[in-house]
Amino acid sequence: MVEENPRHATAQHLPRHVAIIMDGNGRWAKQRNLPRFAGHKAGVESVRSTISCCLDLGIEVLSLFAFSSENWRRPKEEVGLLMNLFMHVLDNEVKRLHRSGVRLRIIGEIEAFSPALQQRIHNAEALTRENTQMTLCVAANYGGRWDIARAARRLAEQVVAGRLDPGDIDSERLAAELCITDLPAPDLFIRTGGEQRISNFLLWQLAYSELYFTDLSWPDFDRAAFLDSLDSYANRERRFGRTSEQVRGE
Ligand code: IPE
Ligand code: IPE
Ligand code: MG
């Protein structure tokens, strides 16, 4: 449990929202002479341990990038297996998440998924809607550009309908049309797998997030690795454009 870990001392600097690109599954499997899919399957355990750590620590929101709008470009077989895994995880984990008080949110263009998968997504969201322990936001067929373009389209529709003056469009107005308007922006962004890029994740919302990259593959990202990332976050000074002296009140 977290209480046994001396690093719990950093609790006062905990992020409210952690967003993770779970990368490196394929390479993890390849290193073990396994098919890429074995890496995706192994990654489910890291999802479980990260969620349970967030619950233990009281982190309010965890966002996980599960499938990007660009991941359709992968071999058909891998895409199919990923969809099956997604269904399987929804079938097997949702009850447990619900019991733990987790509210599940799926963000992305889910209309592109099979009716069966869409149904499971709707059911999981409906079942967990009132939960308050933590929000788990899963990005599936999500792209940051899609999110921003959709918000722009919604604003344009309001202008055309005569409900909005173009002069009133500012960043707050646009942000209100994005997928996760009711949640705080990610304080900490983590990417596993060694790459140092955003890959079209929450482009708008990551504007002031602290970025953390690790070479560990997602299946190797355990509780200790997550606590390391929280340690790193706790030692950052977030200035939001101000000077260090201002932030420290000197
Ligand atoms: C991330 O792992 C999972 C998804 C994109 C679904 P990858 O499958 O991208 O693993 P690597 O980057 O090829 O190792
Ligand atoms: C980002 O990983 C998407 C997810 C983890 C779901 P990718 O493996 O698809 O990213 P790139 O292609 O290396 O940038
Ligand atoms: Mg990858």
Side-chain angles (χ1 to χ4, degrees), residues 42-214:
V44 176
E45 191 46 47
S46 300
V47 172
R48 285 196 198 103
S49 76
T50 305
I51 293 170
S52 103
C53 195
C54 286
L55 280 165
D56 290 344
L57 293 169
I59 290 172
E60 290 169 50
V61 188
L62 174 65
S63 292
L64 300 175
F65 206 2
F67 191 84
S68 79
S69 38
E70 288 73 32
N71 286 146
W72 295 109
R73 296 174 180 161
R74 294 192 175 199
K76 229 174 157 179
E77 194 201 349
E78 181 168 345
V79 171
L81 288 170
L82 278 168
M83 294 299 149
N84 286 343
L85 182 65
F86 198 17
M87 290 244 244
H88 183 76
V89 169
L90 281 171
D91 284 343
N92 287 287
E93 306 285 330
V94 169
K95 276 199 192 115
R96 193 179 346 184
L97 291 173
H98 184 48
R99 274 201 301 275
S100 305
V102 175
R103 176 172 63 144
L104 191 65
R105 289 269 299 271
I106 311 292
I107 59 164
E109 210 173 352
I110 68 153
E111 295 74 18
F113 295 137
S114 71
L117 182 49
Q118 288 187 51
Q119 192 57 50
R120 278 171 174 82
I121 289 172
H122 287 307
N123 293 347
E125 287 187 325
L127 176 72
T128 61
R129 183 157 291 141
E130 307 295 329
N131 291 341
T132 53
Q133 279 306 107
M134 179 185 129
T135 299
L136 174 63
C137 195
V138 176
N141 193 19
Y142 177 86
R145 289 175 177 169
W146 164 82
D147 198 359
I148 296 169
R150 192 183 70 134
R153 190 169 62 240
R154 288 180 166 196
L155 291 175
E157 284 163 3
Q158 292 169 35
V159 170
V160 169
R163 293 196 307 271
L164 178 65
D165 182 345
D168 288 337
I169 296 177
D170 55 13
S171 57
E172 237 172 87
R173 261 294 192 351
L174 193 140
E177 301 297 336
L178 294 168
C179 278
I180 47 172
T181 50
D182 50 329
L183 305 174
D187 301 294
L188 172 62
F189 162 92
I190 299 170
R191 182 173 187 143
T192 62
E195 311 297 351
Q196 304 198 356
R197 53 178 173 253
I198 307 284
S199 297
N200 202 16
F201 197 21
L202 299 158
L203 294 181
W204 179 283
Q205 298 87 341
L206 289 172
Y208 263 105
S209 307
E210 294 297 327
L211 308 182
Y212 181 86
F213 298 97
T214 169

Side-chain angles (χ1 to χ4, degrees), residues 212-228:
Y212 181 86
F213 298 97
T214 169
D215 288 336
L216 285 175
S217 302
W218 178 246
D220 288 332
F221 191 79
D222 56 11
R223 179 179 275 256
F226 185 45
L227 290 172
D228 282 345

